[in-house]
């Protein structure tokens, strides 16, 4: 009778002690790669099971952050590479529409090579962003008039396809900035202006020199951003 009571009591105590472990196992089974926000319940962080659950939750948090960083990099890469790839393809398509002189073909090929080099540099910076976690800004004097003119010249083929005109008015302005990041921002703005403006419309790009700063603005005749969405335009890829 004593042995039976000891066995039964030991079993009851063991099951009671293992019940939190069974709950942890059930919670862990519900955690998937699609939903890494779940965490194990920690009733007592000071006992052995509580410490195990805490360590497991920390590991889950690191894993979730890694997945978020991977998703962010894929979004960055696809977003930033779309415009230069479209420009590169459009320049080639325009060059094939009709017969051209040798010098015209040289200019088209030179433009495509320049865009390819810029694309290669952009890919390198995106890889740095993925490995370092933050984009490395490299400041250097940039002639904004020349930089914007070259960008508009390459994006002009996209405007021509819709019968649009790009009007450019500029003050001479030199700014200490990162030419790659500045070019990305300007290219995305002008590309959006071309995309959302009606055909046969005018897109205006201006550079204004002010004390201690330069203002670059892009305006178009498109529908604009609805008032209820303007607070979210700085959200990632909104």
């Amino acid at each position: 009778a004593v042995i039976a009571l000891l066995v039964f009591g030991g079993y009851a105590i063991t099951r009671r002690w293992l019940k939190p472990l069974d709950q942890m196992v059930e919670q862990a089974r519900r955690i998937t790669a699609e939903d890494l926000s779940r965490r194990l319940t920690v009733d007592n962080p000071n006992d052995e099971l509580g410490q195990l659950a805490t360590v497991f939750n920390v590991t889950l948090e690191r894993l979730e952050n890694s997945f978020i960083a991977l998703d962010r990099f894929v979004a960055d890469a696809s977003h930033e590479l779309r415009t230069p790839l479209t420009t590169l393809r459009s320049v080639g398509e325009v060059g094939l529409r009709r017969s051209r002189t040798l010098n015209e073909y040289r200019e088209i090929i030179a433009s495509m090579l320049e865009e390819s080099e810029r694309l290669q540099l952009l890919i390198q910076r995106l890889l740095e962003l993925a490995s370092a976690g933050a984009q490395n800004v490299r400041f250097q004097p940039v002639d904004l008039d020349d930089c914007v003119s070259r960008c508009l010249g390459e994006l002009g083929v996209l405007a021509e396809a819709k019968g649009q005109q790009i009007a450019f008015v500029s003050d001479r302005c030199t700014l200490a900035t990162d030419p790659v990041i500045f070019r990305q921002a300007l290219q995305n703005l002008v590309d959006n202006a071309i995309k959302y403006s009606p055909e046969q419309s005018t897109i205006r790009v201006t550079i204004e020199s002010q004390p201690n700063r330069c203002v670059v603005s892009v305006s178009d005749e498109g529908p604009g951003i609805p008032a209820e969405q303007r607070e979210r335009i700085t959200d990632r890829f909104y």
Side-chain angles (χ1 to χ4, degrees):
V2 172
I3 294 175
L5 288 174
L6 288 175
V7 171
F8 178 78
Y11 176 80
I13 294 174
T14 302
R15 291 305 305 166
R16 181 178 180 182
W17 185 82
L18 292 178
K19 185 177 181 180
L21 185 60
D22 292 337
Q23 294 175 348
M24 291 172 56
V25 171
E26 185 62 28
Q27 292 174 358
R29 285 175 177 169
R30 292 196 295 265
I31 299 174
T32 63
E34 289 74 24
D35 185 13
L36 291 174
S37 60
R38 294 177 178 269
R39 296 293 183 268
L40 300 183
T41 303
V42 181
D43 296 327
N44 184 6
N46 297 320
D47 62 14
E48 289 78 3
L49 289 179
Q51 294 176 6
L52 177 62
T54 301
V55 173
F56 190 81
N57 287 339
V58 171
T59 304
L60 277 177
E61 184 176 359
R62 293 175 181 171
L63 188 61
E64 183 183 15
N65 291 336
S66 298
F67 272 79
I68 292 175
L70 179 61
D71 291 340
R72 182 178 296 123
F73 172 72
V74 172
D76 280 333
S78 61
H79 183 265
E80 300 299 343
L81 296 178
R82 185 181 299 116
T83 299
L85 285 174
T86 302
T87 304
L88 189 61
R89 178 178 178 178
S90 299
V91 171
E93 290 176 347
V94 170
L96 294 175
R97 285 176 184 171
R98 61 177 177 85
S99 298
R100 300 175 183 271
T101 64
L102 181 60
N103 288 334
E104 288 177 331
Y105 279 122
R106 287 181 180 274
E107 291 179 1
I108 292 174
I109 294 174
S111 178
M112 295 178 70
L113 288 176
E114 184 178 359
E115 192 66 27
S116 298
E117 292 177 358
R118 193 159 25 248
L119 192 58
Q120 183 179 8
L121 181 59
L122 179 57
I123 292 173
Q124 179 182 347
R125 300 294 288 276
L126 286 172
L127 292 176
E128 291 177 359
L129 175 63
S131 60
Q135 199 156 10
N136 187 16
V137 180
R138 303 183 179 116
F139 290 98
Q140 65 185 67
V142 176
D143 185 343
L144 294 187
D145 181 78
D146 179 66
C147 181
V148 174
S149 296
R150 292 160 68 91
C151 180
L152 298 181
E154 294 166 6
L155 292 175
V157 294
L158 302 180
E160 289 177 6
K162 297 181 64 175
Q164 299 168 335
Q165 298 290 329
I166 299 181
F168 179 41
V169 179
S170 172
D171 294 337
R172 302 297 301 185
C173 185
T174 300
L175 184 69
T177 185
D178 188 308
V180 176
I181 298 178
F182 174 79
R183 172 64 181 255
Q184 288 176 243
L186 178 66
Q187 200 169 42
N188 288 334
L189 284 175
V190 177
D191 178 64
N192 281 341
I194 294 172
K195 184 184 302 181
Y196 294 106
S197 294
E199 296 184 357
Q200 311 299 327
S201 61
T202 300
I203 298 167
R204 294 174 175 81
V205 181
T206 62
I207 301 178
E208 182 181 358
S209 179
Q210 297 182 358
N212 300 322
R213 68 173 183 168
C214 299
V215 178
V216 181
S217 62
V218 179
S219 59
D220 58 68
E221 300 174 19
I225 302 172
E228 65 273 10
Q229 298 185 27
R230 291 174 187 170
E231 293 183 357
R232 298 193 58 191
I233 62 174
T234 55
D235 292 354
R236 294 179 61 85
F237 312 119
Y238 179 73

